[in-house]
Amino acid sequence: MKIDWNADALAVLPDLVALRRAIHAEPELGLHNPRTTAKIRDALAGLPLTITEGPSTTGLIATLAGPQNGRTVLLRGDTDALPLHEDTGLDFSSATPGAMHACGHDSHVAMLVGAAKLLCARREQLAGTVQFMFQPGEEGHHGARFMLDDGLIDPLPDAAFALHVMPNAPHGVFGGRPGPLLAATDRLHVTITGRGGHASMPHDALDPVPIACEIVGAIQSFVTRRVSVFDPAVVTIGKIEAGTTDNIIPETAKMLGTIRTLSARTRADVAVGLERLVTGIAAAHGATAQVRIEQGFPVTICDARAVALGQRVIEDVFGADAWRTMASPVMGGEDFAYVLEKASGAMFFLGASHEGSDWTACCGLHSNRMMLDEKVMARGAAAHAAIAERFLGGGFDG
């Protein structure tokens, strides 16, 4: 008998909405989200799950063992918020100054809890084991890597899947693609050192500000002329800092930027090229430059077999209109990439714009006004559960 995952998920939707709103009102940052973890534990109480936690974070793995010792599948939801002030006006807006769930992680937790409820209810029919990964520190803190290093995901699963809501995408529509889905995210630090002096006598000083400006322009030429359009990179300088007032030439100028790439090769080539370019331009003016590249998340690469499985399941559960194959990657980053380096799998996006709204006009992720339609959480929970059950029953061919 075919399981109606959608109907089962709609039955638990009120609980998921309540959980999501409770987490939204008390957002937490970084690797340690104790209040959020407590809410997750309460929501999972009474289910036939084994909970494992590690020393480096407040993340946890909840394991559901079916009666058959078969495959293992991991489902992941992230728990941390972003450091910004919320301006949504919602009744359950953040009560924590300077923190907001503007990336939908509160809904990711709720959907994963929903999937746990659905799968626990059908435990006796499961052909293997499900690991529910509740992971803090996704917003630049490498939480997934810490949980792997802590040995919480040992042995590694046979497949791993994650969902991410998109508030400015069509309501209830899932998207994915094989290969690179999201970019590697590295941070570029540059310090140019010249010689300070009086602003009216620049010939007696060595002004680092015009050197910094020249470097910014040269970086864009470097990207378009030295990086293949078929394996692209984005380098954006987001901050330039120099000087204290109008009549002083500063000694240093500092720049902070982001590097986004879609392959390990281009990632390495861009790092070498930027070092050469920045130090060379500074030297041409008689100045010096220090370049430091802080490595962020690796490229999020989705296994084609996992994407195909996800598409089949979503179309079976929700209909063909519920799936879109993405034409290109997104240059944002995601630390689920660490899991996908260890286990084959995929991440999918779920459109969370309000039903009937113009999704193109909705505020996107990381906006202080980001909102989502909570009804899509039933779809997310159902998709998680259906994909896990199908994989356990037949692997990537299920």
Side-chain angles (χ1 to χ4, degrees):
M1 181 177 177
K2 185 177 180 180
I3 302 171
D4 191 343
W5 291 110
N6 197 33
D8 290 352
L10 287 170
V12 300
L13 180 59
D15 292 339
L16 308 189
V17 169
L19 175 60
R20 183 249 167 173
R21 293 184 178 188
I23 294 171
H24 190 93
E26 289 191 284
E28 297 175 289
L29 307 177
L31 294 168
H32 298 283
N33 310 154
R35 294 192 301 275
T36 304
T37 300
K39 293 180 178 69
I40 294 168
R41 280 182 162 277
D42 288 345
L44 298 177
L47 299 177
L49 298 166
T50 301
I51 306 294
T52 309
E53 299 181 69
S56 299
T57 76
T58 54
L60 62 86
I61 301 289
T63 302
L64 171 64
Q68 301 180 44
N69 186 21
R71 301 179 181 90
T72 297
V73 61
L74 179 145
L75 305 174
R76 181 274 216 158
D78 35 11
T79 66
D80 58 322
L82 283 160
L84 78 163
H85 176 75
E86 180 168 353
D87 291 306
T88 61
L90 294 168
D91 292 342
F92 51 92
S93 288
S94 170
T96 304
M100 174 191 174
H101 272 290
C103 201
H105 296 185
D106 49 351
S107 65
H108 298 172
V109 171
M111 292 188 297
L112 194 56
V113 166
K117 290 175 180 286
L118 301 185
L119 289 167
C120 285
R122 298 184 180 276
R123 176 183 176 276
E124 296 306 315
Q125 288 78 49
L126 291 182
T129 299
V130 187
Q131 297 171 325
F132 302 95
M133 180 183 183
F134 294 92
Q135 178 228 305
E138 191 281 326
E139 295 294 350
H141 299 276
H142 306 271
R145 189 186 70 197
F146 281 107
M147 291 184 71
L148 283 161
D149 290 346
D150 284 345
L152 294 181
I153 311 170
D154 185 17
L156 291 169
D158 298 293
F161 295 92
L163 288 176
H164 202 302
V165 294
M166 293 290 279
N168 53 345
H171 175 90
V173 176
F174 296 83
R177 69 186 308 275
L181 177 72
L182 291 135
T185 58
D186 299 328
R187 183 174 290 181
L188 174 64
H189 301 262
V190 174
T191 300
I192 303 150
T193 302
R195 188 172 63 254
H198 200 292
S200 67
M201 294 173 276
H203 53 284
D204 290 331
L206 180 52
D207 193 345
V209 174
I211 300 172
C213 294
E214 184 176 333
I215 288 171
V216 173
I219 286 174
Q220 306 316 311
S221 296
F222 164 76
V223 169
T224 60
R225 289 296 176 264
R226 299 296 299 168
V227 179
S228 170
V229 296
F230 302 107
D231 189 6
V234 172
V235 182
T236 298
I237 300 300
K239 180 180 180 181
I240 301 177
E241 183 177 278
T244 57
T245 189
D246 67 305
N247 63 346
I248 298 174
I249 291 174
E251 183 166 301
T252 62
K254 296 182 178 182
M255 299 190 296
L256 181 64
T258 186
I259 307 168
R260 306 297 171 109
T261 50
L262 293 173
S263 73
R265 177 177 177 177
T266 294
R267 188 183 193 185
D269 289 347
V270 167
V272 171
L274 288 173
E275 171 88 25
R276 182 175 60 242
L277 179 145
V278 171
T279 56
I281 290 175
H285 290 278
T288 61
Q290 291 182 324
V291 179
R292 180 170 66 89
I293 295 176
E294 179 185 346
Q295 285 211 331
F297 305 151
V299 184
T300 303
I301 299 177
C302 297
D303 189 297
R305 300 169 301 163
V307 175
L309 173 67
Q311 180 178 353
R312 290 195 301 273
V313 171
I314 286 164
E315 289 179 346
D316 286 349
V317 176
F318 304 109
D321 290 343
W323 174 266
R324 303 269 177 89
T325 298
M326 298 166 58
S328 59
V330 175
M331 297 306 279
E334 169 59 65
D335 81 344
F336 189 59
Y338 290 117
V339 177
L340 294 182
E341 285 186 326
K342 303 290 186 181
S344 298
M347 169 175 272
F348 305 122
F349 294 118
L350 171 58
S353 59
H354 280 81
E355 193 168 11
S357 68
D358 176 7
W359 60 267
T360 63
C362 296
C363 293
L365 299 174
H366 291 215
S367 165
N368 58 324
R369 300 183 187 277
M370 193 280 279
M371 292 187 281
L372 53 85
D373 190 334
E374 294 171 321
K375 292 193 295 292
V376 302
M377 294 193 300
R379 281 205 162 197
H384 265 316
I387 290 170
E389 187 266 345
R390 185 77 64 90
F391 177 79
L392 292 181
F396 289 119
D397 295 324

